[in-house]
Amino acid sequence: RKGLSAGEFELYYQPVVNLESNEISGFEALLRWNHPEQGQVPPSTFIPLAEEIGFIVPLGEWVIRQACLAAARWPKHLTVAVNISAAQFRGSSLMLVIVNALAESGLEPARLEIEITESVLLQNREATLAVLHQLRELGIRIAMDDFGTGYSSLTYLQSFPFDKIKIDRSFIKDVAE
């Protein structure tokens, strides 16, 4: 909790490359924690802990705001993708956080992509789908992230018209065999 107010978190931006044109089309915001004593703490360590103690919501809000502010300074053709946790969907403020982040940054909604995992659709499915539709109506792109790591039901893909589906490598690693 102290790490956020102490400025220990930062975003790294992983390029997303259009394979057809071989050009960068955007970036995915990746959260990193630079702990003063432990050094670089991997997300696989601190994200589950943040979810467990309920800190993922304020941390996720910070990520959304920072990613929108950064992307607003980039050339207009570049997008930014942000991962949203199931806990953020359980709260009632996600829409407001995103709308405010877009307004504060001046980022066009079409340049923001929200990434969710299958686990988001497992909880309060109707309410989650309603929020996803509201985000889509604003012009925000929606991606299914890590498809294949959870229940991997094709029903999830039929429940919402995702703009992008990111298939996890574990789902296809043995496809040739």
Side-chain angles (χ1 to χ4, degrees), residues 58 138 176:
L138 289 175

Side-chain angles (χ1 to χ4, degrees), residues 92-102:
S92 60
S93 65
L94 180 62
M95 273 299 293
L96 184 60
V97 167
I98 291 173
V99 168
N100 286 341
L102 291 170

Side-chain angles (χ1 to χ4, degrees), residues 4-70:
L4 186 58
S5 60
E8 296 170 8
F9 288 96
E10 68 179 308
L11 292 181
Y12 284 55
Y13 295 94
Q14 178 173 289
V16 175
V17 178
N18 178 326
L19 294 179
E20 194 172 322
S21 66
N22 203 31
E23 294 180 354
I24 294 174
S25 60
F27 296 88
E28 180 176 355
L30 303 174
L31 183 61
R32 298 295 181 256
W33 182 17
N34 300 307
H35 191 278
E37 296 166 10
Q38 298 176 19
Q40 188 81 239
V41 180
S44 58
T45 301
F46 73 83
I47 295 291
L49 178 60
E51 288 177 339
E52 184 179 319
I53 66 172
F55 184 62
I56 195 69
V57 173
L59 189 58
E61 291 174 4
W62 180 85
V63 169
I64 292 167
R65 283 193 310 276
Q66 296 304 310
C68 287
L69 286 168

Side-chain angles (χ1 to χ4, degrees), residues 148-168:
T149 58
Y151 294 98
S152 304
S153 172
L154 294 176
T155 304
Y156 295 131
L157 303 182
Q158 294 174 323
S159 66
F160 185 82
F162 291 97
D163 294 294
K164 183 188 294 182
I165 300 167
K166 295 171 65 177
I167 300 172
D168 190 80

Side-chain angles (χ1 to χ4, degrees), residues 25 71-80 105-108 110-111:
S25 60
R73 296 188 304 266
W74 301 340
K76 300 277 187 219
H77 70 282
L78 296 175
T79 61
V80 65
S105 66
L107 184 70
E108 297 171 30
R111 294 181 59 204

